[in-house]
Amino acid sequence: MTSMYLANDVVQNSKKKGTEYAKEFGVVMPKAFNHLASINFEEKTIQSLGRLIAIWQERQIFDKKILHEVNRVWDHKKRTGERLPTDTVSPKRRRVSSENANSGPYS
């Protein structure tokens, strides 16, 4: 959870200077939330992460497609207590995400 707050702080504070960090963090957010959905958190943590997603949506921190995917994964977690099977992400989407993840500024 602390890492997500740190990512949130970096992305929101860097937004004033440009969109580079939001783009790079956005590439990994669906995968990060898919991982987080596999962890058995206390209800307070689940709500806190949901609130973080809501803030990102309100402030349009990430691309709408990224936010939609993150929200879809986290909504499933809240409803069922389980993560989505990884095959719910289309193979093309996974391929594009992995290609983008490998082409960041530190590659």
PDB file of all heavy atoms in Angstrom, residues 63-99:
ATOM      1  N   ASP A  63      -4.366   7.559 -18.519  1.00  0.00           N
ATOM      2  CA  ASP A  63      -5.192   7.373 -19.698  1.00  0.00           C
ATOM      3  C   ASP A  63      -6.479   6.638 -19.316  1.00  0.00           C
ATOM      4  O   ASP A  63      -6.467   5.769 -18.444  1.00  0.00           O
ATOM      5  CB  ASP A  63      -4.383   6.553 -20.720  1.00  0.00           C
ATOM      6  CG  ASP A  63      -5.161   6.300 -21.981  1.00  0.00           C
ATOM      7  OD1 ASP A  63      -5.262   7.238 -22.800  1.00  0.00           O
ATOM      8  OD2 ASP A  63      -5.668   5.168 -22.146  1.00  0.00           O
ATOM      9  N   LYS A  64      -7.579   6.974 -19.967  1.00  0.00           N
ATOM     10  CA  LYS A  64      -8.871   6.363 -19.646  1.00  0.00           C
ATOM     11  C   LYS A  64      -8.860   4.848 -19.785  1.00  0.00           C
ATOM     12  O   LYS A  64      -9.472   4.142 -18.992  1.00  0.00           O
ATOM     13  CB  LYS A  64      -9.973   6.951 -20.521  1.00  0.00           C
ATOM     14  CG  LYS A  64     -10.339   8.367 -20.153  1.00  0.00           C
ATOM     15  CD  LYS A  64     -11.453   8.899 -21.021  1.00  0.00           C
ATOM     16  CE  LYS A  64     -11.746  10.334 -20.644  1.00  0.00           C
ATOM     17  NZ  LYS A  64     -12.839  10.890 -21.419  1.00  0.00           N
ATOM     18  N   LYS A  65      -8.151   4.328 -20.783  1.00  0.00           N
ATOM     19  CA  LYS A  65      -8.085   2.877 -20.969  1.00  0.00           C
ATOM     20  C   LYS A  65      -7.377   2.215 -19.798  1.00  0.00           C
ATOM     21  O   LYS A  65      -7.792   1.153 -19.331  1.00  0.00           O
ATOM     22  CB  LYS A  65      -7.369   2.531 -22.274  1.00  0.00           C
ATOM     23  CG  LYS A  65      -8.149   2.903 -23.506  1.00  0.00           C
ATOM     24  CD  LYS A  65      -7.356   2.583 -24.756  1.00  0.00           C
ATOM     25  CE  LYS A  65      -8.092   3.056 -25.989  1.00  0.00           C
ATOM     26  NZ  LYS A  65      -7.300   2.819 -27.207  1.00  0.00           N
ATOM     27  N   ILE A  66      -6.322   2.835 -19.321  1.00  0.00           N
ATOM     28  CA  ILE A  66      -5.578   2.302 -18.170  1.00  0.00           C
ATOM     29  C   ILE A  66      -6.470   2.310 -16.940  1.00  0.00           C
ATOM     30  O   ILE A  66      -6.570   1.311 -16.219  1.00  0.00           O
ATOM     31  CB  ILE A  66      -4.301   3.135 -17.909  1.00  0.00           C
ATOM     32  CG1 ILE A  66      -3.352   3.085 -19.107  1.00  0.00           C
ATOM     33  CG2 ILE A  66      -3.620   2.706 -16.616  1.00  0.00           C
ATOM     34  CD1 ILE A  66      -2.777   1.726 -19.424  1.00  0.00           C
ATOM     35  N   LEU A  67      -7.136   3.424 -16.703  1.00  0.00           N
ATOM     36  CA  LEU A  67      -8.019   3.524 -15.537  1.00  0.00           C
ATOM     37  C   LEU A  67      -9.170   2.532 -15.622  1.00  0.00           C
ATOM     38  O   LEU A  67      -9.569   1.946 -14.615  1.00  0.00           O
ATOM     39  CB  LEU A  67      -8.551   4.947 -15.392  1.00  0.00           C
ATOM     40  CG  LEU A  67      -7.530   5.957 -14.887  1.00  0.00           C
ATOM     41  CD1 LEU A  67      -8.070   7.371 -15.013  1.00  0.00           C
ATOM     42  CD2 LEU A  67      -7.145   5.657 -13.453  1.00  0.00           C
ATOM     43  N   HIS A  68      -9.691   2.323 -16.818  1.00  0.00           N
ATOM     44  CA  HIS A  68     -10.770   1.350 -16.993  1.00  0.00           C
ATOM     45  C   HIS A  68     -10.291  -0.049 -16.610  1.00  0.00           C
ATOM     46  O   HIS A  68     -10.980  -0.777 -15.887  1.00  0.00           O
ATOM     47  CB  HIS A  68     -11.279   1.364 -18.439  1.00  0.00           C
ATOM     48  CG  HIS A  68     -12.284   0.306 -18.716  1.00  0.00           C
ATOM     49  ND1 HIS A  68     -13.582   0.378 -18.257  1.00  0.00           N
ATOM     50  CD2 HIS A  68     -12.178  -0.875 -19.382  1.00  0.00           C
ATOM     51  CE1 HIS A  68     -14.232  -0.711 -18.626  1.00  0.00           C
ATOM     52  NE2 HIS A  68     -13.399  -1.488 -19.314  1.00  0.00           N
ATOM     53  N   GLU A  69      -9.110  -0.417 -17.063  1.00  0.00           N
ATOM     54  CA  GLU A  69      -8.565  -1.749 -16.764  1.00  0.00           C
ATOM     55  C   GLU A  69      -8.293  -1.907 -15.268  1.00  0.00           C
ATOM     56  O   GLU A  69      -8.641  -2.923 -14.660  1.00  0.00           O
ATOM     57  CB  GLU A  69      -7.284  -1.987 -17.567  1.00  0.00           C
ATOM     58  CG  GLU A  69      -6.667  -3.332 -17.344  1.00  0.00           C
ATOM     59  CD  GLU A  69      -7.510  -4.488 -17.848  1.00  0.00           C
ATOM     60  OE1 GLU A  69      -8.393  -4.286 -18.695  1.00  0.00           O
ATOM     61  OE2 GLU A  69      -7.288  -5.620 -17.376  1.00  0.00           O
ATOM     62  N   VAL A  70      -7.677  -0.900 -14.653  1.00  0.00           N
ATOM     63  CA  VAL A  70      -7.390  -0.947 -13.217  1.00  0.00           C
ATOM     64  C   VAL A  70      -8.694  -1.044 -12.430  1.00  0.00           C
ATOM     65  O   VAL A  70      -8.822  -1.862 -11.511  1.00  0.00           O
ATOM     66  CB  VAL A  70      -6.576   0.293 -12.789  1.00  0.00           C
ATOM     67  CG1 VAL A  70      -6.535   0.440 -11.277  1.00  0.00           C
ATOM     68  CG2 VAL A  70      -5.172   0.242 -13.368  1.00  0.00           C
ATOM     69  N   ASN A  71      -9.667  -0.239 -12.805  1.00  0.00           N
ATOM     70  CA  ASN A  71     -10.952  -0.235 -12.118  1.00  0.00           C
ATOM     71  C   ASN A  71     -11.668  -1.577 -12.271  1.00  0.00           C
ATOM     72  O   ASN A  71     -12.254  -2.093 -11.323  1.00  0.00           O
ATOM     73  CB  ASN A  71     -11.828   0.901 -12.649  1.00  0.00           C
ATOM     74  CG  ASN A  71     -12.845   1.363 -11.642  1.00  0.00           C
ATOM     75  OD1 ASN A  71     -12.680   1.169 -10.444  1.00  0.00           O
ATOM     76  ND2 ASN A  71     -13.898   1.968 -12.135  1.00  0.00           N
ATOM     77  N   ARG A  72     -11.586  -2.161 -13.455  1.00  0.00           N
ATOM     78  CA  ARG A  72     -12.228  -3.451 -13.708  1.00  0.00           C
ATOM     79  C   ARG A  72     -11.627  -4.539 -12.812  1.00  0.00           C
ATOM     80  O   ARG A  72     -12.342  -5.308 -12.173  1.00  0.00           O
ATOM     81  CB  ARG A  72     -12.061  -3.823 -15.183  1.00  0.00           C
ATOM     82  CG  ARG A  72     -12.806  -5.061 -15.614  1.00  0.00           C
ATOM     83  CD  ARG A  72     -12.612  -5.304 -17.108  1.00  0.00           C
ATOM     84  NE  ARG A  72     -11.264  -5.752 -17.410  1.00  0.00           N
ATOM     85  CZ  ARG A  72     -10.864  -7.019 -17.328  1.00  0.00           C
ATOM     86  NH1 ARG A  72     -11.704  -7.946 -16.949  1.00  0.00           N
ATOM     87  NH2 ARG A  72      -9.630  -7.343 -17.636  1.00  0.00           N
ATOM     88  N   VAL A  73     -10.307  -4.562 -12.727  1.00  0.00           N
ATOM     89  CA  VAL A  73      -9.622  -5.546 -11.888  1.00  0.00           C
ATOM     90  C   VAL A  73      -9.990  -5.332 -10.419  1.00  0.00           C
ATOM     91  O   VAL A  73     -10.313  -6.281  -9.696  1.00  0.00           O
ATOM     92  CB  VAL A  73      -8.087  -5.450 -12.079  1.00  0.00           C
ATOM     93  CG1 VAL A  73      -7.346  -6.236 -11.021  1.00  0.00           C
ATOM     94  CG2 VAL A  73      -7.707  -5.919 -13.474  1.00  0.00           C
ATOM     95  N   TRP A  74      -9.968  -4.088  -9.978  1.00  0.00           N
ATOM     96  CA  TRP A  74     -10.212  -3.815  -8.559  1.00  0.00           C
ATOM     97  C   TRP A  74     -11.683  -4.006  -8.199  1.00  0.00           C
ATOM     98  O   TRP A  74     -11.987  -4.482  -7.104  1.00  0.00           O
ATOM     99  CB  TRP A  74      -9.718  -2.422  -8.188  1.00  0.00           C
ATOM    100  CG  TRP A  74      -9.454  -2.362  -6.725  1.00  0.00           C
ATOM    101  CD1 TRP A  74     -10.116  -1.621  -5.796  1.00  0.00           C
ATOM    102  CD2 TRP A  74      -8.472  -3.113  -5.998  1.00  0.00           C
ATOM    103  NE1 TRP A  74      -9.607  -1.865  -4.553  1.00  0.00           N
ATOM    104  CE2 TRP A  74      -8.591  -2.776  -4.644  1.00  0.00           C
ATOM    105  CE3 TRP A  74      -7.507  -4.042  -6.373  1.00  0.00           C
ATOM    106  CZ2 TRP A  74      -7.783  -3.334  -3.659  1.00  0.00           C
ATOM    107  CZ3 TRP A  74      -6.692  -4.595  -5.395  1.00  0.00           C
ATOM    108  CH2 TRP A  74      -6.841  -4.239  -4.065  1.00  0.00           C
ATOM    109  N   ASP A  75     -12.601  -3.658  -9.074  1.00  0.00           N
ATOM    110  CA  ASP A  75     -14.023  -3.915  -8.816  1.00  0.00           C
ATOM    111  C   ASP A  75     -14.288  -5.400  -8.646  1.00  0.00           C
ATOM    112  O   ASP A  75     -15.049  -5.814  -7.777  1.00  0.00           O
ATOM    113  CB  ASP A  75     -14.909  -3.359  -9.940  1.00  0.00           C
ATOM    114  CG  ASP A  75     -15.160  -1.881  -9.804  1.00  0.00           C
ATOM    115  OD1 ASP A  75     -14.839  -1.298  -8.745  1.00  0.00           O
ATOM    116  OD2 ASP A  75     -15.679  -1.288 -10.770  1.00  0.00           O
ATOM    117  N   HIS A  76     -13.648  -6.214  -9.481  1.00  0.00           N
ATOM    118  CA  HIS A  76     -13.799  -7.658  -9.360  1.00  0.00           C
ATOM    119  C   HIS A  76     -13.292  -8.122  -8.000  1.00  0.00           C
ATOM    120  O   HIS A  76     -13.921  -8.943  -7.337  1.00  0.00           O
ATOM    121  CB  HIS A  76     -13.055  -8.369 -10.489  1.00  0.00           C
ATOM    122  CG  HIS A  76     -13.202  -9.852 -10.448  1.00  0.00           C
ATOM    123  ND1 HIS A  76     -14.327 -10.489 -10.911  1.00  0.00           N
ATOM    124  CD2 HIS A  76     -12.379 -10.822  -9.981  1.00  0.00           C
ATOM    125  CE1 HIS A  76     -14.192 -11.792 -10.731  1.00  0.00           C
ATOM    126  NE2 HIS A  76     -13.016 -12.015 -10.173  1.00  0.00           N
ATOM    127  N   LYS A  77     -12.166  -7.583  -7.558  1.00  0.00           N
ATOM    128  CA  LYS A  77     -11.594  -7.928  -6.253  1.00  0.00           C
ATOM    129  C   LYS A  77     -12.572  -7.556  -5.142  1.00  0.00           C
ATOM    130  O   LYS A  77     -12.818  -8.344  -4.231  1.00  0.00           O
ATOM    131  CB  LYS A  77     -10.258  -7.200  -6.065  1.00  0.00           C
ATOM    132  CG  LYS A  77      -9.712  -7.171  -4.653  1.00  0.00           C
ATOM    133  CD  LYS A  77      -9.119  -8.480  -4.250  1.00  0.00           C
ATOM    134  CE  LYS A  77      -8.388  -8.346  -2.922  1.00  0.00           C
ATOM    135  NZ  LYS A  77      -7.865  -9.605  -2.458  1.00  0.00           N
ATOM    136  N   LYS A  78     -13.149  -6.360  -5.223  1.00  0.00           N
ATOM    137  CA  LYS A  78     -14.082  -5.919  -4.177  1.00  0.00           C
ATOM    138  C   LYS A  78     -15.335  -6.792  -4.140  1.00  0.00           C
ATOM    139  O   LYS A  78     -15.838  -7.106  -3.079  1.00  0.00           O
ATOM    140  CB  LYS A  78     -14.469  -4.452  -4.384  1.00  0.00           C
ATOM    141  CG  LYS A  78     -13.339  -3.498  -4.061  1.00  0.00           C
ATOM    142  CD  LYS A  78     -13.797  -2.056  -4.025  1.00  0.00           C
ATOM    143  CE  LYS A  78     -14.349  -1.593  -5.343  1.00  0.00           C
ATOM    144  NZ  LYS A  78     -14.627  -0.155  -5.383  1.00  0.00           N
ATOM    145  N   ARG A  79     -15.829  -7.184  -5.321  1.00  0.00           N
ATOM    146  CA  ARG A  79     -17.050  -7.993  -5.375  1.00  0.00           C
ATOM    147  C   ARG A  79     -16.829  -9.427  -4.941  1.00  0.00           C
ATOM    148  O   ARG A  79     -17.663 -10.004  -4.252  1.00  0.00           O
ATOM    149  CB  ARG A  79     -17.629  -7.994  -6.795  1.00  0.00           C
ATOM    150  CG  ARG A  79     -18.378  -6.746  -7.168  1.00  0.00           C
ATOM    151  CD  ARG A  79     -19.189  -6.917  -8.451  1.00  0.00           C
ATOM    152  NE  ARG A  79     -18.495  -7.616  -9.520  1.00  0.00           N
ATOM    153  CZ  ARG A  79     -17.688  -7.047 -10.420  1.00  0.00           C
ATOM    154  NH1 ARG A  79     -17.469  -5.749 -10.363  1.00  0.00           N
ATOM    155  NH2 ARG A  79     -17.106  -7.758 -11.365  1.00  0.00           N
ATOM    156  N   THR A  80     -15.734 -10.011  -5.349  1.00  0.00           N
ATOM    157  CA  THR A  80     -15.537 -11.447  -5.144  1.00  0.00           C
ATOM    158  C   THR A  80     -14.454 -11.788  -4.136  1.00  0.00           C
ATOM    159  O   THR A  80     -14.392 -12.915  -3.671  1.00  0.00           O
ATOM    160  CB  THR A  80     -15.167 -12.139  -6.473  1.00  0.00           C
ATOM    161  OG1 THR A  80     -13.886 -11.671  -6.887  1.00  0.00           O
ATOM    162  CG2 THR A  80     -16.209 -11.881  -7.542  1.00  0.00           C
ATOM    163  N   GLY A  81     -13.577 -10.831  -3.851  1.00  0.00           N
ATOM    164  CA  GLY A  81     -12.442 -11.127  -2.987  1.00  0.00           C
ATOM    165  C   GLY A  81     -11.338 -11.865  -3.713  1.00  0.00           C
ATOM    166  O   GLY A  81     -10.382 -12.325  -3.104  1.00  0.00           O
ATOM    167  N   GLU A  82     -11.470 -12.010  -5.031  1.00  0.00           N
ATOM    168  CA  GLU A  82     -10.485 -12.747  -5.820  1.00  0.00           C
ATOM    169  C   GLU A  82      -9.974 -11.874  -6.956  1.00  0.00           C
ATOM    170  O   GLU A  82     -10.631 -10.947  -7.384  1.00  0.00           O
ATOM    171  CB  GLU A  82     -11.127 -13.992  -6.432  1.00  0.00           C
ATOM    172  CG  GLU A  82     -11.701 -14.945  -5.421  1.00  0.00           C
ATOM    173  CD  GLU A  82     -12.497 -16.072  -6.072  1.00  0.00           C
ATOM    174  OE1 GLU A  82     -12.595 -16.097  -7.317  1.00  0.00           O
ATOM    175  OE2 GLU A  82     -13.013 -16.909  -5.340  1.00  0.00           O
ATOM    176  N   ARG A  83      -8.824 -12.247  -7.478  1.00  0.00           N
ATOM    177  CA  ARG A  83      -8.296 -11.551  -8.652  1.00  0.00           C
ATOM    178  C   ARG A  83      -8.920 -12.142  -9.906  1.00  0.00           C
ATOM    179  O   ARG A  83      -9.375 -13.275  -9.916  1.00  0.00           O
ATOM    180  CB  ARG A  83      -6.785 -11.618  -8.710  1.00  0.00           C
ATOM    181  CG  ARG A  83      -6.248 -12.944  -9.200  1.00  0.00           C
ATOM    182  CD  ARG A  83      -4.777 -13.035  -9.098  1.00  0.00           C
ATOM    183  NE  ARG A  83      -4.157 -12.706 -10.358  1.00  0.00           N
ATOM    184  CZ  ARG A  83      -2.874 -12.786 -10.568  1.00  0.00           C
ATOM    185  NH1 ARG A  83      -2.063 -13.189  -9.628  1.00  0.00           N
ATOM    186  NH2 ARG A  83      -2.366 -12.473 -11.726  1.00  0.00           N
ATOM    187  N   LEU A  84      -8.937 -11.351 -10.963  1.00  0.00           N
ATOM    188  CA  LEU A  84      -9.405 -11.838 -12.256  1.00  0.00           C
ATOM    189  C   LEU A  84      -8.399 -12.823 -12.812  1.00  0.00           C
ATOM    190  O   LEU A  84      -7.200 -12.643 -12.641  1.00  0.00           O
ATOM    191  CB  LEU A  84      -9.528 -10.669 -13.244  1.00  0.00           C
ATOM    192  CG  LEU A  84     -10.755  -9.799 -13.129  1.00  0.00           C
ATOM    193  CD1 LEU A  84     -10.570  -8.555 -13.988  1.00  0.00           C
ATOM    194  CD2 LEU A  84     -11.985 -10.539 -13.575  1.00  0.00           C
ATOM    195  N   PRO A  85      -8.864 -13.857 -13.494  1.00  0.00           N
ATOM    196  CA  PRO A  85      -7.894 -14.727 -14.168  1.00  0.00           C
ATOM    197  C   PRO A  85      -7.118 -13.903 -15.194  1.00  0.00           C
ATOM    198  O   PRO A  85      -7.681 -13.013 -15.818  1.00  0.00           O
ATOM    199  CB  PRO A  85      -8.770 -15.767 -14.876  1.00  0.00           C
ATOM    200  CG  PRO A  85     -10.116 -15.661 -14.238  1.00  0.00           C
ATOM    201  CD  PRO A  85     -10.230 -14.278 -13.674  1.00  0.00           C
ATOM    202  N   THR A  86      -5.852 -14.198 -15.381  1.00  0.00           N
ATOM    203  CA  THR A  86      -5.030 -13.389 -16.273  1.00  0.00           C
ATOM    204  C   THR A  86      -5.470 -13.495 -17.714  1.00  0.00           C
ATOM    205  O   THR A  86      -5.180 -12.627 -18.512  1.00  0.00           O
ATOM    206  CB  THR A  86      -3.539 -13.778 -16.181  1.00  0.00           C
ATOM    207  OG1 THR A  86      -3.428 -15.174 -16.412  1.00  0.00           O
ATOM    208  CG2 THR A  86      -2.977 -13.408 -14.838  1.00  0.00           C
ATOM    209  N   ASP A  87      -6.212 -14.533 -18.067  1.00  0.00           N
ATOM    210  CA  ASP A  87      -6.638 -14.661 -19.460  1.00  0.00           C
ATOM    211  C   ASP A  87      -7.803 -13.740 -19.803  1.00  0.00           C
ATOM    212  O   ASP A  87      -8.250 -13.711 -20.932  1.00  0.00           O
ATOM    213  CB  ASP A  87      -6.981 -16.108 -19.819  1.00  0.00           C
ATOM    214  CG  ASP A  87      -8.140 -16.658 -19.007  1.00  0.00           C
ATOM    215  OD1 ASP A  87      -8.533 -16.029 -18.015  1.00  0.00           O
ATOM    216  OD2 ASP A  87      -8.642 -17.732 -19.381  1.00  0.00           O
ATOM    217  N   THR A  88      -8.288 -12.931 -18.830  1.00  0.00           N
ATOM    218  CA  THR A  88      -9.340 -11.968 -19.150  1.00  0.00           C
ATOM    219  C   THR A  88      -8.766 -10.755 -19.862  1.00  0.00           C
ATOM    220  O   THR A  88      -9.500  -9.988 -20.440  1.00  0.00           O
ATOM    221  CB  THR A  88     -10.103 -11.498 -17.889  1.00  0.00           C
ATOM    222  OG1 THR A  88      -9.191 -10.868 -17.013  1.00  0.00           O
ATOM    223  CG2 THR A  88     -10.796 -12.655 -17.207  1.00  0.00           C
ATOM    224  N   VAL A  89      -7.452 -10.581 -19.801  1.00  0.00           N
ATOM    225  CA  VAL A  89      -6.796  -9.521 -20.560  1.00  0.00           C
ATOM    226  C   VAL A  89      -6.447 -10.125 -21.910  1.00  0.00           C
ATOM    227  O   VAL A  89      -5.822 -11.173 -21.984  1.00  0.00           O
ATOM    228  CB  VAL A  89      -5.523  -9.024 -19.836  1.00  0.00           C
ATOM    229  CG1 VAL A  89      -4.825  -7.974 -20.661  1.00  0.00           C
ATOM    230  CG2 VAL A  89      -5.868  -8.508 -18.462  1.00  0.00           C
ATOM    231  N   SER A  90      -6.865  -9.465 -22.968  1.00  0.00           N
ATOM    232  CA  SER A  90      -6.656 -10.025 -24.303  1.00  0.00           C
ATOM    233  C   SER A  90      -5.169 -10.213 -24.582  1.00  0.00           C
ATOM    234  O   SER A  90      -4.346  -9.448 -24.097  1.00  0.00           O
ATOM    235  CB  SER A  90      -7.262  -9.113 -25.370  1.00  0.00           C
ATOM    236  OG  SER A  90      -6.478  -7.960 -25.527  1.00  0.00           O
ATOM    237  N   PRO A  91      -4.813 -11.251 -25.370  1.00  0.00           N
ATOM    238  CA  PRO A  91      -3.399 -11.459 -25.696  1.00  0.00           C
ATOM    239  C   PRO A  91      -2.766 -10.233 -26.351  1.00  0.00           C
ATOM    240  O   PRO A  91      -1.631  -9.895 -26.083  1.00  0.00           O
ATOM    241  CB  PRO A  91      -3.433 -12.645 -26.665  1.00  0.00           C
ATOM    242  CG  PRO A  91      -4.698 -13.361 -26.342  1.00  0.00           C
ATOM    243  CD  PRO A  91      -5.667 -12.286 -25.901  1.00  0.00           C
ATOM    244  N   LYS A  92      -3.538  -9.543 -27.219  1.00  0.00           N
ATOM    245  CA  LYS A  92      -3.004  -8.345 -27.858  1.00  0.00           C
ATOM    246  C   LYS A  92      -2.688  -7.289 -26.806  1.00  0.00           C
ATOM    247  O   LYS A  92      -1.648  -6.647 -26.823  1.00  0.00           O
ATOM    248  CB  LYS A  92      -4.001  -7.791 -28.876  1.00  0.00           C
ATOM    249  CG  LYS A  92      -3.497  -6.541 -29.572  1.00  0.00           C
ATOM    250  CD  LYS A  92      -4.488  -6.018 -30.571  1.00  0.00           C
ATOM    251  CE  LYS A  92      -3.967  -4.742 -31.206  1.00  0.00           C
ATOM    252  NZ  LYS A  92      -4.928  -4.124 -32.082  1.00  0.00           N
ATOM    253  N   ARG A  93      -3.599  -7.102 -25.851  1.00  0.00           N
ATOM    254  CA  ARG A  93      -3.410  -6.109 -24.793  1.00  0.00           C
ATOM    255  C   ARG A  93      -2.172  -6.458 -23.962  1.00  0.00           C
ATOM    256  O   ARG A  93      -1.386  -5.593 -23.608  1.00  0.00           O
ATOM    257  CB  ARG A  93      -4.656  -6.063 -23.915  1.00  0.00           C
ATOM    258  CG  ARG A  93      -4.563  -5.097 -22.776  1.00  0.00           C
ATOM    259  CD  ARG A  93      -5.338  -3.876 -23.116  1.00  0.00           C
ATOM    260  NE  ARG A  93      -5.404  -3.049 -21.933  1.00  0.00           N
ATOM    261  CZ  ARG A  93      -5.251  -1.761 -21.974  1.00  0.00           C
ATOM    262  NH1 ARG A  93      -5.094  -1.152 -23.109  1.00  0.00           N
ATOM    263  NH2 ARG A  93      -5.298  -1.052 -20.890  1.00  0.00           N
ATOM    264  N   ARG A  94      -2.011  -7.760 -23.623  1.00  0.00           N
ATOM    265  CA  ARG A  94      -0.835  -8.168 -22.864  1.00  0.00           C
ATOM    266  C   ARG A  94       0.436  -7.905 -23.657  1.00  0.00           C
ATOM    267  O   ARG A  94       1.420  -7.431 -23.107  1.00  0.00           O
ATOM    268  CB  ARG A  94      -0.912  -9.662 -22.520  1.00  0.00           C
ATOM    269  CG  ARG A  94      -1.657  -9.924 -21.233  1.00  0.00           C
ATOM    270  CD  ARG A  94      -1.579 -11.362 -20.948  1.00  0.00           C
ATOM    271  NE  ARG A  94      -2.467 -11.985 -21.931  1.00  0.00           N
ATOM    272  CZ  ARG A  94      -3.113 -13.118 -21.775  1.00  0.00           C
ATOM    273  NH1 ARG A  94      -2.934 -13.820 -20.725  1.00  0.00           N
ATOM    274  NH2 ARG A  94      -3.923 -13.581 -22.686  1.00  0.00           N
ATOM    275  N   ARG A  95       0.423  -8.203 -24.959  1.00  0.00           N
ATOM    276  CA  ARG A  95       1.592  -8.007 -25.787  1.00  0.00           C
ATOM    277  C   ARG A  95       1.946  -6.525 -25.868  1.00  0.00           C
ATOM    278  O   ARG A  95       3.090  -6.144 -25.698  1.00  0.00           O
ATOM    279  CB  ARG A  95       1.355  -8.579 -27.191  1.00  0.00           C
ATOM    280  CG  ARG A  95       2.595  -8.541 -28.057  1.00  0.00           C
ATOM    281  CD  ARG A  95       2.378  -9.160 -29.433  1.00  0.00           C
ATOM    282  NE  ARG A  95       1.418  -8.390 -30.215  1.00  0.00           N
ATOM    283  CZ  ARG A  95       0.202  -8.793 -30.566  1.00  0.00           C
ATOM    284  NH1 ARG A  95      -0.240  -9.962 -30.188  1.00  0.00           N
ATOM    285  NH2 ARG A  95      -0.603  -8.030 -31.275  1.00  0.00           N
ATOM    286  N   VAL A  96       0.950  -5.674 -26.083  1.00  0.00           N
ATOM    287  CA  VAL A  96       1.184  -4.231 -26.166  1.00  0.00           C
ATOM    288  C   VAL A  96       1.719  -3.718 -24.837  1.00  0.00           C
ATOM    289  O   VAL A  96       2.677  -2.954 -24.797  1.00  0.00           O
ATOM    290  CB  VAL A  96      -0.108  -3.485 -26.579  1.00  0.00           C
ATOM    291  CG1 VAL A  96       0.058  -1.999 -26.396  1.00  0.00           C
ATOM    292  CG2 VAL A  96      -0.478  -3.831 -28.006  1.00  0.00           C
ATOM    293  N   SER A  97       1.143  -4.170 -23.721  1.00  0.00           N
ATOM    294  CA  SER A  97       1.602  -3.724 -22.413  1.00  0.00           C
ATOM    295  C   SER A  97       3.038  -4.135 -22.160  1.00  0.00           C
ATOM    296  O   SER A  97       3.840  -3.354 -21.668  1.00  0.00           O
ATOM    297  CB  SER A  97       0.709  -4.297 -21.306  1.00  0.00           C
ATOM    298  OG  SER A  97      -0.563  -3.737 -21.379  1.00  0.00           O
ATOM    299  N   SER A  98       3.383  -5.373 -22.512  1.00  0.00           N
ATOM    300  CA  SER A  98       4.756  -5.818 -22.261  1.00  0.00           C
ATOM    301  C   SER A  98       5.736  -5.100 -23.189  1.00  0.00           C
ATOM    302  O   SER A  98       6.855  -4.794 -22.788  1.00  0.00           O
ATOM    303  CB  SER A  98       4.877  -7.334 -22.407  1.00  0.00           C
ATOM    304  OG  SER A  98       4.643  -7.732 -23.738  1.00  0.00           O
ATOM    305  N   GLU A  99       5.338  -4.839 -24.422  1.00  0.00           N
ATOM    306  CA  GLU A  99       6.201  -4.084 -25.330  1.00  0.00           C
ATOM    307  C   GLU A  99       6.425  -2.680 -24.794  1.00  0.00           C
ATOM    308  O   GLU A  99       7.540  -2.169 -24.816  1.00  0.00           O
ATOM    309  CB  GLU A  99       5.605  -4.031 -26.734  1.00  0.00           C
ATOM    310  CG  GLU A  99       5.652  -5.365 -27.448  1.00  0.00           C
ATOM    311  CD  GLU A  99       4.826  -5.367 -28.726  1.00  0.00           C
ATOM    312  OE1 GLU A  99       4.214  -4.323 -29.053  1.00  0.00           O
ATOM    313  OE2 GLU A  99       4.784  -6.402 -29.384  1.00  0.00           O
TER     314      GLU A  99
END
